[in-house]
Amino acid sequence: MASSVSSMSLSDPALSKHNTYQSSTSIASSQQSFVMSEGPNRTSSLEAHGNHQSDTASIQSKLTRTLSMSSNNSINIQQIISQQRTLLKELDAQKAMYRMDVEKLGEQVIKTRKKIEQRTHDMDVLKSNYQVHLRSVRSSDDDPSSIAKKLLELKQSIHVLACELLPHAEPELTTEKLSTLWLNLGPSIDQLGRPLPPERILMLTEKFMMDVLVQNLNINIFPGLVCNPEFLELSNWFDQYDTSPFYSTRLRQELSMLVVKNKSDPKSDIEQTWKKCVDRNWHHLYRGLQKAYPAYLLSSSAMKHTSMSSSSSSSLSSSSHHITTTAAAANEYGKKLRQLVEDTICLGSAIKGQEECITAVDVREGLQPFDSNLMEDEDGQTSGTIAFCISPPFVVKLANRYEPLVKGRVLCFPS
């Protein structure tokens, strides 16, 4: 029966159509319900998919920009490296140039040093030859510095000989006799006191000895020659008409050389004249000092008489013995004076043999003011009028000016 029912339902067209409609309707409704149930999920999925695509594009954009920046940075670094390499090449080229310049300059320095050494050697040879030439025309090997030293030694020798006389001074007599040695200094000597104190006696004794000896240091006087007036006249003519001092200087040097070479030749007239000059200076000194110190320095006649008495008598009394002892001391002192005179005349010859003019300054006693550049005061004063010139200043002429060589020694009175 069941099968018949099914057949019937299937065979009935109306029934069949109804059922088919119902089925279609149910299928459509079921499909619609599925779509409706599925709609919200698909929308969210599409949104998520869109967001994912947006993030992917952003990342790709960032990557593109990063790659672009990296590419730009890479290009910049390559440019910098290229520039640095170019700079290094330029610096290497400059270094090579500088190295070449240094080598060239080093070679030039070596050559320059060799030239300097050679020229220094040549200059030394020239100086040596020049000094040899100068010594060949000089009367001695002295120069201004050694002459200055000898002038100081002369002043010291005078001081020593004056000190040797001082213990034998008789204040009253010595003061009186010293006052008579200068015609123009009597009033000034009186101002020093009567009788003179020992230090003033010593000072005036030194002054007298220097006043006598300094004449031999005059560049226009040649001990041993008799042509002094003629030389002075000729020298003045050169000074007046010749702007160069060459000829007058050479003439002075030649005359000085002539004296030095012949003063020890017994066959020469110069030797006799030179000895007479020494004797004249010695007698002048001895006579003046003998007047001031009679107890120590015997007169020439007394010395001769004592010598004759001692040779004729074998036994001497005590008084005769004392006189003989005094005569021996006076004789020894006389020898020292003679040696001093000879040394001074030789110094004068050395001065005359110099190319430079070395001379004593003429000091006007009683008129000239004190000059600290040229002189020193006996009492350490720094101003005043020169009353006594114990030893004159010596100067040397360089070009057209005079420079101090040895300072003078003076005593000033207040102005």
Side-chain angles (χ1 to χ4, degrees):
M1 190 169 175
S3 61
S4 64
V5 172
S6 300
S7 303
M8 287 180 67
S9 60
L10 290 169
S11 65
D12 189 358
L15 181 62
S16 177
K17 289 179 182 181
H18 179 74
N19 288 336
T20 303
Y21 174 78
Q22 285 182 345
S23 298
S24 302
T25 304
S26 64
I27 289 170
S29 62
S30 64
Q31 289 177 350
Q32 185 178 1
S33 64
F34 175 77
V35 169
M36 290 179 64
S37 64
E38 188 176 48
N41 291 330
R42 178 173 293 180
T43 302
S44 61
S45 175
L46 291 172
E47 290 177 355
H49 181 68
N51 291 334
H52 176 70
Q53 289 178 345
S54 176
D55 292 340
T56 301
S58 176
I59 289 171
Q60 289 178 351
S61 176
K62 289 180 180 179
L63 286 173
T64 303
R65 287 197 301 269
T66 302
L67 290 173
S68 176
M69 291 175 64
S70 299
S71 177
N72 292 335
N73 289 335
S74 177
I75 293 172
N76 291 336
I77 290 172
Q78 290 178 357
Q79 290 177 350
I80 292 172
I81 291 173
S82 178
Q83 291 174 357
Q84 294 295 330
R85 286 176 178 172
T86 304
L87 180 60
L88 285 174
K89 289 181 181 179
E90 293 177 354
L91 291 175
D92 287 338
Q94 289 183 0
K95 183 178 179 181
M97 292 177 61
Y98 288 150
R99 185 178 288 110
M100 292 176 62
D101 291 341
V102 168
E103 291 176 357
K104 290 180 180 179
L105 291 173
E107 293 176 356
Q108 291 179 2
V109 167
I110 293 173
K111 291 179 180 179
T112 303
R113 285 178 177 172
K114 289 182 178 179
K115 287 182 179 179
I116 291 174
E117 291 176 357
Q118 183 62 39
R119 290 181 180 178
T120 302
H121 175 71
D122 294 342
M123 182 61 71
D124 292 339
V125 172
L126 287 174
K127 288 181 178 179
S128 177
N129 292 338
Y130 180 66
Q131 291 300 324
V132 170
H133 168 69
L134 291 181
R135 284 194 295 270
S136 68
V137 298
R138 291 173 181 168
S139 57
S140 70
D141 292 335
D142 292 293
D143 56 20
S145 60
S146 65
I147 287 176
K149 183 179 179 180
K150 289 184 177 181
L151 286 170
L152 293 175
E153 292 174 353
L154 173 63
K155 294 167 68 173
Q156 181 62 27
S157 298
I158 290 174
H159 177 73
V160 170
L161 289 177
C163 288
E164 188 174 337
L165 293 175
L166 187 61
H168 305 282
E170 302 174 36
E172 293 289 346
L173 178 63
T174 302
T175 299
E176 179 183 354
K177 296 302 181 181
L178 287 176
S179 300
T180 62
L181 296 177
W182 300 276
L183 299 177
N184 60 329
L185 295 181
S188 297
I189 294 175
D190 291 339
Q191 293 185 45
L192 298 177
R194 286 279 185 167
L196 289 169
E199 64 273 13
R200 299 308 186 199
I201 291 177
L202 178 65
M203 181 191 76
L204 292 178
T205 302
E206 291 182 57
K207 172 177 170 53
F208 170 69
M209 298 172 73
M210 178 58 80
D211 286 351
V212 174
L213 295 174
V214 76
Q215 300 174 30
N216 299 289
L217 306 180
N218 191 325
I219 61 173
N220 296 317
I221 297 178
F222 298 88
L225 298 179
V226 295
C227 61
N228 292 318
E230 290 78 9
F231 169 79
L232 181 59
E233 183 179 357
L234 187 57
S235 178
N236 291 335
W237 187 90
F238 278 123
D239 293 339
Q240 184 177 358
Y241 296 103
D242 187 9
T243 57
S244 172
F246 175 78
Y247 291 105
S248 59
T249 299
R250 287 295 297 120
L251 179 60
R252 168 166 52 81
Q253 289 178 314
E254 288 296 330
L255 291 178
S256 177
M257 178 74 74
L258 182 65
V259 172
V260 171
K261 286 184 175 180
N262 293 277
K263 68 183 181 66
S264 300
D265 185 4
K267 299 179 181 181
S268 173
D269 294 338
I270 294 177
E271 190 262 352
Q272 297 297 324
T273 308
W274 191 84
K275 283 186 176 180
K276 288 179 181 179
C277 180
V278 173
D279 291 340
R280 184 168 58 252
N281 279 267
W282 180 84
H283 282 295
H284 192 175
L285 275 175
Y286 192 89
R287 283 198 303 268
L289 294 175
Q290 193 273 329
K291 291 178 181 178
Y293 301 91
Y296 183 67
L297 299 178
L298 300 178
S299 63
S300 301
S301 58
M303 290 177 64
K304 290 180 181 180
H305 177 72
T306 304
S307 177
M308 292 175 61
S309 299
S310 60
S311 60
S312 61
S313 176
S314 57
S315 60
L316 297 175
S317 62
S318 59
S319 60
S320 298
H321 178 73
H322 173 72
I323 294 175
T324 303
T325 303
T326 304
N331 186 43
E332 184 65 26
Y333 191 85
K335 291 180 180 179
K336 294 178 182 179
L337 276 183
R338 179 175 290 276
Q339 186 61 51
L340 179 64
V341 171
E342 292 182 358
D343 292 343
T344 304
I345 294 177
C346 290
L347 177 57
S349 296
I351 289 175
K352 299 174 186 71
Q354 299 297 305
E355 296 76 37
E356 299 84 359
C357 178
I358 299 176
T359 184
V361 177
D362 183 22
V363 178
R364 296 170 296 169
E365 295 169 312
L367 299 174
Q368 185 172 332
F370 177 77
D371 185 356
S372 60
N373 294 324
L374 293 176
M375 54 195 71
E376 297 174 345
D377 185 78
E378 184 77 2
D379 295 339
Q381 302 176 88
T382 57
S383 63
T385 302
I386 299 172
F388 300 96
C389 178
I390 298 95
S391 60
F394 287 87
V395 295
V396 55
K397 187 176 183 180
L398 301 175
N400 293 322
R401 70 183 188 281
Y402 285 93
E403 294 292 336
L405 186 65
V406 175
K407 283 191 173 184
R409 180 180 163 208
V410 299
L411 176 65
C412 294
F413 285 164
S415 300

